[in-house]
Amino acid sequence: MRWTMQDFSVLIGGKAGEGINIAGSVIARLLSACGLCVYMYYDYPSLIKGGNNFAVIRAADDQTFCTRETVDVLLALNQETIRLHAGMVREDTAVIYDSGVVKAGGTGLTLDAFVKEEEAPAITRSAGIIGGFCRTAGIPWATVEAVFARAIPRELDANLRVARRGYDASPPGSWIRVNGREALPVLTGNEGIAFGLVEAGLEGYISYPMTPSSSILHTLASYAGRFGISVVHPENETGAMLMALGAAYAGRRVAVGTSGGGFCLMTEGFSLAGMAELPVAVVLAQRPGPSTGVPTYSAQGDLLFALFAGQGEFPRIVAAPGSVEEAWYWAGALMDLSWRFQTPAILLTDKNLGEGLFSFAGAPPRPPLAPVLREGDGKYGRYQDGPGGISPLAFPGESGITVKVNSYAHDADGITTEEATTIAAMAEKRREKERAAAKALAAYPCVEVAGDRTAATALLCWGSVAGVCAEVAGRLGLRVVRPVVLSPFPEEQLASALLGVGRLIAVEENIDGQLSRLVGCHGIRVDERIGKYDGRPFFLEDLERRVGEVI
Amino acid sequence: MAWITGAQNTWCPGCGNFAIQHALKAVLEDLVAGGMRPEEFVLVSGIGCHAKIADYMAMNSFYSIHGRGAAVAGGIALANPDLRVISCAGDGDAYAEGLDHLIFAAKRNTEMTAVVHDNRVYGLTTGQYTPTSYEGFRGRSTPEGVRERPINPLELMLASGATFVARAYTRKIDHLKTVLKAAILHRGFSFIDVLQICATYNNLTDYYAPRVYEVEGHDAGDFDAAMRLAREWDYSADAPIALGVIYDSDAPSDPWPRMNGGGAEERAEEIRRILLEKT
């Protein structure tokens, strides 16, 4: 047999409420157990039951971050899946479907009969089709048993019995080659954020539910007891932000999470954090469109909002990770940076990263960066001078001192002032912190480069389009330059990443080219822009074509 | 310990805020004399004339923004249960811009004391009506007179689940001190609507003087009796104005788990276990 790189795709679709997300994640873990790196895109409308959901799982020897235009196996729990995805079916695509409700060519499985005969709950229908998939793909039964035991918490036996029926009723195939590599854990981007925050010492997460950030709240709530943290769902986003600032004032490392609409409400407190010099990490998970937009789909339309949110001038640290490893790393790094520089930080993500499922290869260690704490005794002024504009921190409760923070212009003790020189001095102090933060960030990977590092044509991108850009660049022999940190703007790292680039093509999931505008403010000219703003991620071939048209 | 900072006081002569500041200082002195530490108190304020109290009191303080004091106070209480959080707010602060936070602090029975400096007018923005201004009040934004009914904050707080509800008046300062001390010592959410005159825009001294009375023989543990007393005066129509503790009960507070934090090693171990589960 010829030893080639594996690149395998499977789509599972069905009605909302049939557990497509869980079924997809089980398939991802089955493929991961075979030693492949996996990526899953999950597509669902904003409704609870009815409508059509689907998950596309792509597995390969190396990590991928996007889906392809066709699939190797199509699993249909309803007729709509066959109709919607007809264009993804090739001649050699294996189609497996529930013959009770679907008419199609391929392998029909009598899922209702399996469930009835095995006296299993109706939800195990998806286990039946997963069993059929495993046989067709060439996944050994022992792997199915091992993965089900970890991935399916309830009714394990019933699920396995129904899966076995599907397995036995399907023709054997060999799409997958078990490559013998150790299986990696499979995480969503939002799980990566949650664990990255916890690893960096998170003590409280305060969030009002808003897709696509909600699963951070759910994840942390479910592990709150194990981590000894407080997870709070308050009355609204305004309350969440202000509560977080109260907790930060009292010395706790806290984060908040939301999407654009919620961040609108939080900007009031965000600006307060800037003036009062309070640390807080904000996860801003973007969705398409202004206002309510499209809740369950993805976009990169909030970059300029994140950079400019809040009245007045104050430093903020903004980073947009492009993978689950980066999400983990930067969630922690922003917590460290926010505390060091006593100013708010934003982790800018989106649905594709946050709700996408990825093999997790481990996050790199972060540079140590401790907060500046008050040492010794004597008089304390919350905003007294310190190195780099950083005033040493103390917290209320400490004997002999008062800790006064203030949303108003204030003096070194935190007392309100309208005195001209003090107002100017405090503005300069905040600016000094921004410079100090930029200096500290030199030790961090603020700009990532992928593809051919010597190529004169480069794709410029940010956030979750990193992976698809890297893959396209690999195929077309291009360079990818990607700022991860967007504020303070990483001038030097970006300039060095762009050395020798003669032609720059920006790829963004928005219509205005927000990164293009940002780099333009720093004297970097973008030659071409490729935008996508329909809420759906780029397919590999789709982006390859569009890049091909402009190079 | 000196309780007053050197900050220049800019309240108008005759302002009710002086009485509230004086009462707060006296109560804190009293509590510290009784063994509490001055550093365990935190004062939160919003925005408006009342909020300057954060500058004037030499104690831990969070001078926050309009209406958000209760949310800030909730965060502080959650973060450090050893602190005693006193959230001073204006009536515009507490009942207009920040009403949701106040209601939810009451609903959760958060460990805090909300003191509303209720002068029934926006002072610092130069004289517009507030949620507790009486019907017909002529303010700069309502020259023909307000055509809305005022909110009755006591009724609202009772309905929201507050476990301690009281009313006081700045011209009865000894009574104000007694009520304030009881509120601070109450476990859970305590609320005081402090009637205060605005010397410049809403001087109601002549209105309050003949109407206010201190409640006697009222059973503060009886919710229905509290509601009846709260409804006696509706902040608009002419009626006797009860001062004192209207409602006082015990209930579990703070439903959210405290931020106790695990050690870094234990967390790292827990994360390793979770990653294995997700393989």
Side-chain angles (χ1 to χ4, degrees):
Chain A
M1 191 174 120
R2 206 159 62 88
W3 194 253
T4 52
M5 289 293 282
Q6 305 190 73
D7 187 353
F8 172 82
S9 292
V10 50
L11 183 149
I12 180 166
K15 285 202 297 279
E18 281 191 309
I20 298 299
N21 195 11
I22 292 171
S25 71
V26 170
I27 292 171
R29 292 174 68 166
L30 284 159
L31 292 163
S32 173
C34 296
L36 279 68
C37 293
V38 297
Y39 161 64
M40 181 178 106
Y41 167 71
Y42 177 52
D43 189 296
Y44 63 107
S46 185
L47 45 75
I48 308 298
K49 286 202 191 305
N52 200 73
N53 292 359
F54 67 92
V56 186
I57 302 98
R58 186 169 167 218
D61 289 318
D62 294 324
Q63 183 67 50
T64 63
F65 298 88
C66 60
T67 60
R68 308 196 55 167
E69 285 182 340
T70 63
V71 293
D72 300 292
V73 178
L74 178 74
L75 307 174
L77 285 163
N78 63 354
Q79 192 69 42
E80 188 70 356
T81 298
I82 299 284
R83 191 185 68 79
L84 274 175
H85 305 293
M88 299 181 87
V89 175
R90 302 185 308 260
E91 225 167 70
D92 64 338
T93 298
V95 179
I96 306 174
Y97 58 92
D98 180 355
S99 60
V101 293
V102 180
K103 286 200 181 0
T107 304
L109 299 176
T110 55
L111 296 180
D112 283 340
F114 296 167
V115 166
K116 200 173 164 198
E117 286 157 26
E118 298 297 338
E119 295 176 356
I123 194 75
T124 61
R125 283 168 79 244
S126 60
I129 209 161
I130 291 171
F133 160 73
C134 290
R135 178 66 165 243
T136 304
I139 296 173
W141 179 252
T143 305
V144 181
E145 285 184 323
V147 170
F148 270 44
R150 286 194 299 272
I152 297 180
R154 280 192 295 273
E155 301 272 9
L156 174 61
D157 282 349
N159 274 289
L160 275 172
R161 289 198 309 275
V162 175
R164 182 76 216 194
R165 294 292 297 270
Y167 196 86
D168 290 340
S170 302
S174 57
W175 284 105
I176 293 298
R177 188 176 65 242
V178 177
N179 65 14
R181 287 203 301 217
E182 200 181 335
L184 293 174
V186 178
L187 298 186
T188 64
N190 278 350
E191 284 173 328
I193 292 166
F195 300 136
L197 288 170
V198 169
E199 200 183 58
L202 181 81
E203 293 170 280
Y205 186 72
I206 308 178
S207 178
Y208 189 78
M210 189 168 184
T211 304
S213 70
S214 301
S215 60
I216 305 171
L217 172 64
H218 305 160
T219 299
L220 287 170
S222 72
Y223 295 121
R226 287 170 72 171
F227 291 136
I229 61 172
S230 178
V231 177
V232 178
H233 161 185
E235 58 274 19
N236 52 39
E237 287 91 345
T238 313
M241 187 57 145
L242 272 291
M243 228 175 176
L245 298 184
Y249 163 72
R252 299 292 192 179
R253 284 166 92 94
V254 286
V256 302
T258 187
S259 189
F263 189 62
C264 284
L265 296 173
M266 288 183 179
T267 53
E268 183 192 64
F270 190 76
S271 182
L272 166 59
M275 177 55 115
E277 304 196 28
L278 288 166
V280 63
V282 182
V283 183
L284 170 50
Q286 302 162 100
R287 50 162 76 170
S291 192
T292 308
V294 199
T296 65
Y297 288 88
S298 201
Q300 298 185 306
D302 294 347
L303 173 57
L304 297 179
F305 180 35
L307 293 175
F308 298 107
Q311 69 272 35
E313 298 166 297
F314 58 95
R316 68 196 64 202
I317 299 145
V318 180
S323 67
V324 64
E325 289 82 8
E326 285 182 11
W328 183 305
Y329 175 92
W330 283 104
L334 289 189
M335 183 71 91
D336 293 343
L337 288 155
S338 174
W339 273 84
R340 174 59 162 245
F341 299 103
Q342 301 168 29
T343 204
I346 299 177
L347 187 74
L348 198 51
T349 70
D350 58 39
K351 184 253 181 175
N352 289 340
L353 176 60
E355 295 188 352
L357 205 57
F358 308 84
S359 295
F360 174 66
R366 305 188 308 279
L369 192 72
V372 179
L373 299 173
R374 174 183 187 246
E375 282 172 10
D377 45 22
K379 189 178 174 304
Y380 179 71
R382 175 62 190 83
Y383 302 105
Q384 69 199 18
D385 285 343
I390 302 165
S391 306
L393 278 173
F395 307 109
E398 197 175 315
S399 288
I401 60 164
T402 58
V403 183
K404 296 179 92 67
V405 302
N406 200 333
S407 72
Y408 247 96
H410 46 255
D411 64 16
D413 293 330
I415 305 278
T416 302
T417 186
E418 295 186 350
E419 202 262 320
T421 54
T422 312
I423 293 170
M426 285 293 167
E428 285 156 14
K429 168 181 153 63
R430 292 191 292 273
R431 170 57 53 84
E432 198 183 340
K433 288 200 303 176
E434 185 160 15
R435 293 208 182 98
K439 208 169 153 194
L441 277 160
Y444 290 75
C446 297
V447 177
E448 296 283 353
V449 180
D452 179 355
R453 288 162 181 269
T454 61
T457 301
L459 301 180
L460 176 74
C461 66
W462 62 284
S464 71
V465 298
V468 69
C469 284
E471 213 172 330
V472 166
R475 290 156 75 113
L476 299 178
L478 307 175
R479 190 187 321 194
V480 180
V481 175
R482 176 169 57 95
V484 180
V485 171
L486 299 147
S487 170
F489 191 74
E491 300 246 11
E492 285 179 22
Q493 286 191 40
L494 190 59
S496 129
L498 286 170
L499 271 180
V501 170
R503 189 166 167 75
L504 198 54
I505 301 161
V507 180
E508 304 186 55
E509 284 173 359
N510 58 46
I511 197 164
D512 278 344
Q514 300 197 9
L515 178 63
S516 307
R517 286 198 196 186
L518 177 64
V519 300
C521 295
H522 296 269
I524 297 164
R525 195 170 64 89
V526 167
D527 299 290
E528 298 283 350
R529 288 204 286 113
I530 296 174
K532 194 165 199 307
Y533 33 85
D534 60 0
R536 274 68 176 173
F538 284 104
F539 287 115
L540 176 61
E541 298 86 347
D542 176 25
L543 184 61
E544 187 176 354
R545 253 191 321 269
R546 293 186 62 184
V547 172
E549 285 163 11
V550 296
I551 54 174
Chain B
M1 162 165 175
W3 284 95
I4 307 297
T5 65
Q8 189 198 348
N9 194 306
T10 57
W11 285 327
C12 305
C15 174
N17 282 316
F18 288 108
I20 295 177
Q21 185 192 6
H22 181 69
L24 181 62
K25 172 177 174 282
V27 168
L28 293 180
E29 271 172 353
D30 192 18
L31 290 170
V32 167
M36 293 175 76
R37 298 167 53 242
E39 295 89 357
E40 72 189 80
F41 296 100
V42 180
L43 180 65
V44 178
S45 71
I47 288 294
C49 292
H50 85 275
K52 297 177 180 180
I53 194 169
D55 283 336
Y56 306 153
M57 292 295 290
M59 61 188 292
N60 295 316
S61 64
F62 192 132
Y63 195 145
S64 75
I65 47 179
H66 197 49
R68 311 303 176 206
V72 170
I76 297 170
L78 183 75
N80 185 351
D82 295 333
L83 298 172
R84 300 237 169 193
V85 191
I86 300 157
S87 173
C88 286
D91 41 323
D93 239 33
Y95 308 139
E97 195 89 32
L99 186 59
D100 41 2
H101 311 304
L102 186 71
I103 286 175
F104 274 77
K107 173 185 187 287
R108 291 185 199 117
N109 200 24
T110 297
E111 288 277 6
M112 61 177 276
T113 297
V115 180
V116 180
H117 301 217
D118 191 356
N119 60 10
R120 308 171 68 198
V121 70
Y122 287 119
L124 207 54
T125 55
T126 68
Q128 300 85 2
Y129 86 106
T130 79
T132 50
S133 299
Y134 53 85
E135 204 173 350
F137 173 88
R138 290 173 192 273
R140 298 185 73 181
S141 61
T142 54
E144 303 299 318
V146 176
R147 291 187 290 177
E148 299 168 18
R149 308 275 307 149
I151 281 173
N152 179 338
L154 272 57
E155 201 180 342
L156 179 73
M157 284 294 95
L158 286 168
S160 303
T163 53
F164 182 103
V165 175
R167 186 193 284 133
Y169 176 44
T170 50
R171 296 246 168 170
K172 288 190 170 286
I173 193 158
D174 286 336
H175 179 258
L176 169 61
K177 284 180 201 165
T178 307
V179 172
L180 187 57
K181 186 174 175 186
I184 292 173
L185 291 175
H186 174 78
R187 304 317 302 149
F189 181 80
S190 53
F191 166 85
I192 317 171
D193 190 57
V194 184
L195 297 176
Q196 106 176 52
I197 59 112
C198 172
T200 304
Y201 294 106
N202 198 24
N203 192 342
L204 294 174
T205 307
D206 292 344
Y207 176 83
Y208 290 141
R211 290 174 180 82
V212 293
Y213 72 99
E214 292 174 27
V215 293
E216 276 172 38
H218 164 67
D219 178 4
D222 181 340
F223 182 85
D224 294 330
M227 199 51 120
R228 278 195 300 278
L229 195 54
R231 285 175 170 160
E232 188 178 36
W233 176 57
D234 71 356
Y235 286 71
S236 198
D238 190 21
I241 302 171
L243 303 178
V245 178
I246 308 291
Y247 186 61
D248 187 357
S249 74
D250 284 328
S253 71
D254 285 338
W256 304 109
R258 294 292 167 87
M259 298 182 185
N260 49 2
E265 268 311 303
E266 289 85 347
R267 284 176 174 220
E269 186 52 42
E270 205 62 59
I271 289 174
R272 276 192 287 276
R273 269 195 288 273
I274 292 167
L275 288 179
L276 278 180
E277 291 163 18
K278 293 191 171 290
T279 305

